[in-house]
Amino acid sequence: PGRLRVVERRDGGVVLYGAKPVASAALQSHITTIGTLLSPGIAEDSIIWACCPINQEGITLVSREPTVAHDWNPEDHPLNARGEEPDTFMIFDNVFLPDEYLFSFGNAETLKLYLEVGALALWHVLARLARRAEIFAATARMIVDVLGTERIPPVRAAVADVMAYAATLKAFIIAAEDQSTMTESGVCVPDPALITAGRLHSIVHYPQVMQTLRDLSGQGLISRFTAADFEREDIAARLDEFLPGHGVSAREKNRFFNFVWDMTCSSHAMRVALFENTNATPPPTVRQHLYDVYDSDATVALVKKVAGLELDRLKAATA
């Protein structure tokens, strides 16, 4: 009942009523895109693809609770003190949208064009995840350096798993760009099958990589303290004495694991993980996309030839 839909057609535009979750940072934006490209079977009056000014009359934005605080000490929360992207619920109360902002309306064919329309956006999603994977790999290496556990074989193997995750996503990016094609308008588009496979790999293994970082950290994520603790005269000396890392002071080690906590354990880290899973599209949907776009026709023909199968003739005979 609350679906976003066109309730009136006027000269020069349409009137929107309903609600829709929007991408992050809508509150910090001047304009947003709205679309229903991943909604097969949706009613015709809700088949919308458009952009919309955030300050259009009749729009209300409702944000979720924050997962960070603006007054946090950067030493206690090196990542979370920097802020976040506020996810927002967008309510349309008879909002007039001029035709100049309307890309398509009521055209069911657009429901099939998610991969084509979002090709560059999906490439950007994978590129961002590949860069984050490199940060994960660097963090894994730093964890074992700070703890002095680098020479333990199982530890090295765990770090190698994180490195392999980063290298794999980078390989998908390079391969997709190498196999890119040009559109009629001269835009270079990375190979959709490789981008889709890369997105699938990135989100399926993301939770495992996060858990590996937590496992490598051990007590480092538990025995964490605030900057205020290290400035207390009654305990600062004891913390310095009992909590040093391998080649780093106790306070430096604490500051580093505050960073790891923000990235892997905090409420904001869980929000980012959830966002990546949703923004990259959940695995079942990505698998369906991959099935649709992966071109194996030439190789299937080779397999038929080598195996001595004439499947087309058999199908015709049994039709």
Side-chain angles (χ1 to χ4, degrees):
R3 62 184 173 85
L4 180 63
R5 60 196 182 276
V6 172
V7 293
E8 183 182 348
R9 182 74 180 177
R10 297 179 185 171
D11 290 339
V14 297
V15 177
L16 301 177
Y17 188 84
K20 197 177 191 305
V22 299
S24 58
L27 282 175
Q28 301 158 331
S29 305
H30 295 293
I31 196 165
T32 186
T33 56
I34 54 177
T36 54
L37 300 183
L38 282 177
S39 305
I42 196 169
E44 183 175 317
D45 60 357
S46 286
I47 302 177
I48 305 164
W49 181 32
C51 63
C52 182
I54 292 296
N55 64 348
Q56 198 80 350
E57 185 177 354
I59 289 179
T60 301
L61 302 178
V62 184
S63 294
R64 59 158 171 80
E65 62 178 348
T67 60
V68 303
H70 71 278
D71 58 349
W72 279 345
N73 188 325
E75 182 171 345
D76 298 339
H77 294 285
L79 287 181
N80 293 351
R82 295 172 178 264
E84 66 163 334
E85 298 177 343
D87 305 299
T88 309
F89 190 65
M90 197 169 187
I91 299 174
F92 296 77
D93 186 5
N94 293 307
V95 174
F96 178 72
L97 191 66
D99 283 335
E100 63 189 273
Y101 295 122
L102 193 63
F103 307 143
S104 177
F105 167 61
N107 183 1
E109 289 301 308
T110 61
L111 301 179
K112 308 172 185 177
L113 299 178
Y114 173 69
L115 287 176
E116 289 82 358
V117 170
L120 294 180
L122 297 175
W123 165 81
H124 176 266
V125 167
L126 182 57
R128 185 184 67 245
L129 282 162
R131 178 55 178 159
R132 180 171 295 148
E134 291 180 337
I135 296 173
F136 286 160
T139 301
R141 181 64 183 271
M142 288 184 64
I143 289 172
V144 301
D145 286 346
V146 169
L147 294 179
T149 55
E150 187 264 345
R151 294 186 177 276
I152 302 173
V155 170
R156 295 171 69 93
V159 174
D161 285 342
V162 182
M163 292 175 172
Y165 175 72
T168 300
L169 297 192
K170 184 177 182 179
F172 273 117
I173 288 290
I174 293 173
E177 293 174 353
D178 181 72
Q179 299 296 312
S180 62
T181 57
M182 298 291 288
T183 66
E184 293 181 0
S185 56
V187 177
C188 181
V189 179
D191 184 275
L194 291 173
I195 290 296
T196 304
R199 286 166 47 229
L200 180 61
H201 185 87
S202 71
I203 56 179
V204 167
H205 294 279
Y206 191 103
Q208 178 184 344
V209 170
M210 295 273 282
Q211 184 58 43
T212 298
L213 293 176
R214 291 190 283 263
D215 289 340
L216 288 170
S217 298
Q219 290 293 325
L221 291 175
I222 304 301
S223 299
R224 293 170 42 256
F225 304 96
T226 66
D229 292 326
F230 278 92
E231 293 168 1
R232 286 182 50 168
E233 294 182 0
D234 55 339
I235 61 172
R238 292 291 180 260
L239 293 177
D240 289 338
E241 179 182 359
F242 298 136
L243 287 177
H246 185 72
V248 296
S249 69
R251 191 163 187 171
E252 289 173 330
K253 172 189 171 187
N254 189 78
R255 188 180 297 118
F256 171 67
F257 278 108
N258 284 341
F259 167 84
V260 180
W261 173 274
D262 280 2
M263 189 169 64
T264 65
C265 299
S266 68
S267 58
H268 183 53
M270 296 302 103
R271 177 266 165 196
V272 171
L274 178 62
F275 172 82
E276 294 296 5
N277 186 77
T278 303
N279 190 52
T281 317
T285 304
V286 180
R287 290 187 177 99
Q288 181 61 52
H289 289 161
L290 183 58
Y291 186 92
D292 293 338
V293 302
Y294 189 84
D295 185 3
S296 59
D297 290 347
T299 309
V300 167
L302 175 62
V303 171
K304 289 180 181 180
K305 179 179 180 180
V306 174
L309 299 179
E310 296 179 336
L311 297 183
D312 292 338
R313 183 182 301 174
L314 291 174
K315 288 181 180 178
T318 57

